[in-house]
Amino acid sequence: MDDGASPAAQQQPQQQQTDEATTLISLAQNYLHSSQTNGTESANIRFRPPFLQTPKHDARGDAVALIVEHLIQRQFPQWAAYVVAYSLVDLYASELQTADVPFDENDYDAIDATVWCPKVIVRLQSYLTKLAASSIPLPEYQPDPDQLLYSYCAQRNRRAKMEDRSDRSRNQDSFFAVFDGHNGVDCANYASSHFARCLIDNPEYATGSIEDVMKRAFSTLDKRLTVRCKREHIKSGTTAACAFLRARRHLCVGWCGDSAVAVLRKDAVRTLSSAHSPMVEVRSPHCFVSQQLKFIKILTK
């Protein structure tokens, strides 16, 4: 049966997939070469974990975030870092305890992160060694030839460390977020590692209104983060500015705190968000919803 696609159109995704598989192997080889050149193979012993414990229901997201940040700092493009991270946590789910575990606020089964985090990085090096030698199957990756273009910039200003984090997830749906850490990076780290999962795990993700899905994700993340902060005595906080685009047609923007969201028009910038003040109680995140394709085109150009 002819599906109407030309041979060239059918060949393009296959060629892109081949090119990106080659890129993954090359990135793995460069990573290993750089580690050997800089003498960092033994640096895992001195690896400083970003947190002391991780509950098992957070281990998967924490491991992915740990791997992605580690690889991006070593010149991996974002898509490749995520492909490697998700492949690794699935492949070594038993050893690293990174299988999906449902969240239960009354069950905080914690893993010692001072041992676990270095173990994740050691396993990453082992994984990349096998990937570079083509001794394991390449991770599955379905390239999207029509991905949205985006840019990202962060500035540390006068603080000793960067406390801001971001999240970019793209498939048929797209999710973009910025989290501005206050008094530390812990909460911003957590939000960037787990918000998208809270969004997707909603049973009504595919059928519910995007505003309800977004609000529930904020609420779920808040519950999980509250438990983590209480257990780990975390004193920091974070703002959130999130954009959820469904099927390139429906957009929901949600925010909490003073991080701003704006849309760029031909002649002006329109701010969609309004800052929350500590003097005013925030019962739920505000959401701005658009279901006009014309408006989405303005946002994504």
Side-chain angles (χ1 to χ4, degrees), residues 27 46 153 247 271 294:
L27 287 167
R46 302 188 299 273
C153 178
T271 301
K294 181 178 180 182

Side-chain angles (χ1 to χ4, degrees), residues 35 38-47 125:
S35 296
N38 298 327
T40 57
E41 286 184 302
S42 61
N44 299 302
I45 300 174
R46 302 188 299 273
F47 181 82
Q125 290 192 332

